[in-house]
Amino acid sequence: MSTREDKAHAMLAELKRSGLKLTPQRIAIVRELAGDETHPTAQDLFDRLRAAFPTMSFATVYNTLDALAAHSLVGSLRLRGARGAVRFDPNTSAHHHAVCDRCHAVVDLPAEPLDGATARRLGRQTGFLVSGEERTYRGLCARCADRSSA
Amino acid sequence: MSTREDKAHAMLAELKRSGLKLTPQRIAIVRELAGDETHPTAQDLFDRLRAAFPTMSFATVYNTLDALAAHSLVGSLRLRGARGAVRFDPNTSAHHHAVCDRCHAVVDLPAEPLDGATARRLGRQTGFLVSGEERTYRGLCARCADRSSA
DNA sequence: ATGAGTGCAAATGCTTTGCATCCTG
DNA sequence: CAGGATGCAAAGCATTTGCACTCAT
């Protein structure tokens, strides 16, 4: 049923398997982030968990997010324009992003992995050993587009 | 001859045309940035101009970069991983970037503008009114790739 | 019990702001 | 000579760090 719970469980299992401790704070952060498609900031997560963990500190949030990132269980993205906070992404499958220029909403978009021929062509053009690709489409989300034309 | 000088001149002309004042600091910043393909940070530019303008402040650098950005004469990019400074880009033609995961070098890559059919398809998938695309290829630059295999 | 993890607070890095002064147009 | 631009310093965010204490393993 709950894809979100499944995802949280898988993330926690992987953390445990890597020898990291499963503290109540970590479990809560992972469960909050798993299945969250809004690409929250550390501050967002901190605010949401404040009620349940009044004494939790930013250091713990960052510590957990770093640990997740180190094990490729979350991705991160930095957006232009928006205030400068990193946004975290529990979606670990190949995907791109569409970002709203007005409200800074971010949605996922499926993507094919970078193919070898393209990587080699880029390598020829740039001298780089290209290993991955990130695309950001920008524009207006449905809600903001509506507000604009109104 | 000097593409760089031409570019600086064009940028300054456009600023003037927009009613902005051409101060010695602005002229120096524009000339420093024009034709610079390294995607420097505000700090980089500040450091390079320190000798010529010992009293110049960060506020002036940011002020000028903001003015240039407001008139679409420079672009900006925020990179993951790297320390969190915005990098500025005098290249205003459609292009993408390749970023070195090790040394954070950034090189430009020509790009075709986003075609209408693709934009519409993305709109169908996301609900977005898509107006642009940014691609970041990541990997290792030639120098860092060499150092790795050594 | 032991060392990884936590909380707190101070520090850091990048960027912005307020305001008095200066200088371009 | 008027208002935009500059310089300086302080404030503002996002994030990191140091350290004593706690708790999951």
Side-chain angles (χ1 to χ4, degrees), chain A residues 21-24 43 59 62 83-86:
Chain A
K21 294 182 178 174
L22 298 190
T23 66
Q43 177 81 59
Y62 281 112
R83 13 187 227 322
V86 171

Side-chain angles (χ1 to χ4, degrees), chain B residues 6-128:
Chain B
D6 291 349
K7 170 122 193 144
H9 213 268
M11 291 168 77
L12 291 168
E14 177 61 22
L15 281 182
K16 183 177 212 170
R17 211 178 56 74
S18 302
L20 299 180
K21 293 182 179 174
L22 299 189
T23 65
Q25 294 89 334
R26 283 191 174 165
I27 293 168
I29 292 167
V30 165
R31 292 179 58 153
E32 188 63 45
L33 185 55
D36 180 333
E37 307 213 337
T38 67
H39 307 78
T41 63
Q43 177 81 59
D44 291 334
L45 295 169
F46 178 78
D47 289 344
R48 292 188 210 156
L49 295 169
R50 178 171 262 168
F53 296 85
T55 68
M56 190 170 58
S57 71
F58 269 103
T60 297
V61 177
Y62 281 113
N63 168 9
T64 297
L65 291 170
D66 287 349
L68 291 168
H71 293 275
S72 300
L73 296 170
V74 302
S76 63
L77 48 160
R78 307 189 68 119
L79 274 38
R80 276 194 338 195
R83 24 191 217 319
V86 171
R87 301 182 62 160
F88 294 90
D89 187 348
N91 180 351
T92 52
S93 57
H95 69 285
H96 297 312
H97 295 109
V99 180
C100 179
D101 285 329
R102 188 191 301 253
C103 72
H104 305 125
V106 179
V107 307
D108 288 350
L109 216 45
E112 298 81 50
L114 183 62
D115 73 281
T118 302
R120 277 190 295 280
R121 178 174 53 76
L122 294 173
R124 238 177 293 121
Q125 291 177 353
T126 62
F128 270 60

